[in-house]
Amino acid sequence: MSNVLTVRSARIRADDQASGTVTDMVDFSDGSGTGPGTGPVPPRVVAYVERELPPGGIPAYRAARSSGARSFALWADEHRRERVATVVTLSATGGVATFQVLGAHGELIGTIVREKALRGRGLRTRWTVTQPGGPEAVGFKGRILWWCVWWLCLPLMALVLVFSVLDGTPGNEGGLARGPRRIRWRAQGQLPLEFRSGGDKLHLHSPALDRRLGAALIALLRSFMPGSWDGRKK
């Protein structure tokens, strides 16, 4: 049984705006959907995530993120009373971005590298996740077979995209026209991580993987997708 992490945004209310609470969060579940009783156990929040703005505020952040840079704070609660982790960008150039995930006291939790398709070391976007003292876990966005099918059907996909936009169903932006997004990470013959596009869920198959690193990874993954949580203008 794997642990599952997802990112969701709470509905922003007037009192949330007035108090300045964090509304984006990472949910955690053990993947079973049930507890010791008979009813389902709802996911619980493991981190509240927000972008850390540079001098210049939101416009400066949005300008920097266009090159692949990101800067997040992960909090234990929506009132920012305790920092869980921080995501910082070491470098972002030429389609390759390197991020560090730091603990509450600045200790290194892990390193995440994103290499954009055709700009890094392959035809697909490559994500590399490393914990201190651990092996590299390497994952590629989508399978080669499905990318070939997607490219062959690209003219049809353009038509599907128009209908999905007109559909207006929340979470269906792009619909079937979106390229393959599933990612499976491999490390020494093991499968420690898996991102499933259905529901945008990150599965932590390895119990040795730090949950804070997983929370940072799902926040990063979702920030590079359509409708990204950190790309808002306000």
Side-chain angles (χ1 to χ4, degrees):
M1 188 70 65
S2 62
N3 296 323
V4 181
L5 295 172
T6 56
V7 173
R8 66 181 173 91
S9 298
R11 181 174 298 175
I12 300 177
R13 302 167 299 179
D15 55 346
D16 289 330
Q17 291 179 324
S19 62
T21 55
V22 183
T23 57
D24 297 299
M25 59 205 78
V26 179
D27 285 341
F28 170 85
S29 69
D30 64 4
S32 66
T34 58
T38 57
V41 176
R44 61 184 179 87
V45 179
V46 294
Y48 290 80
V49 58
E50 70 172 339
R51 54 193 177 186
E52 289 206 307
L53 302 178
I58 294 176
Y61 180 89
R62 286 170 55 85
R65 79 185 296 277
S66 64
S67 67
R70 300 290 190 273
S71 180
F72 307 149
L74 281 71
W75 304 97
D77 66 275
E78 67 270 34
H79 300 290
R80 306 177 185 85
R81 284 186 283 253
E82 181 184 352
R83 186 180 289 260
V84 174
T86 304
V87 177
V88 298
T89 302
L90 290 183
S91 62
T93 181
V96 179
T98 302
F99 310 96
Q100 278 191 338
V101 183
L102 307 175
H105 304 289
E107 72 278 12
L108 180 63
I109 296 174
T111 302
I112 300 172
V113 180
R114 178 184 184 266
E115 299 174 67
K116 192 175 180 180
L118 303 176
R119 304 286 291 278
R121 287 178 282 178
L123 299 176
R124 297 174 290 169
T125 297
R126 171 186 173 124
W127 288 86
T128 304
V129 181
T130 311
Q131 286 191 137
E136 282 189 346
V138 178
F140 294 92
K141 183 180 177 182
R143 295 174 59 185
I144 288 290
L145 172 63
W146 289 116
W147 274 115
C148 291
V149 172
W150 189 84
W151 280 109
L152 289 172
C153 298
L154 189 58
L156 175 62
M157 292 300 182
L159 183 61
V160 173
L161 177 60
V162 172
F163 279 103
S164 64
V165 170
L166 294 177
D167 176 29
T169 304
N172 193 41
E173 297 82 358
L176 295 173
R178 294 181 302 195
R181 298 188 300 159
R182 186 171 186 172
I183 305 173
R184 289 181 171 180
W185 281 265
R186 302 286 182 181
Q188 296 182 339
Q190 302 296 315
L191 184 71
L193 289 159
E194 181 181 7
F195 174 76
R196 299 179 185 175
S197 57
D200 291 332
K201 299 178 183 295
L202 179 67
H203 291 250
L204 311 184
H205 297 308
S206 171
L209 196 136
D210 194 309
R211 195 178 301 172
R212 295 171 297 175
L213 181 57
L217 177 59
I218 186 62
L220 277 170
L221 287 168
R222 292 295 307 277
S223 77
F224 282 95
M225 295 180 183
S228 56
W229 67 269
D230 76 313
R232 293 189 292 262
K233 296 181 179 180
K234 296 183 179 178

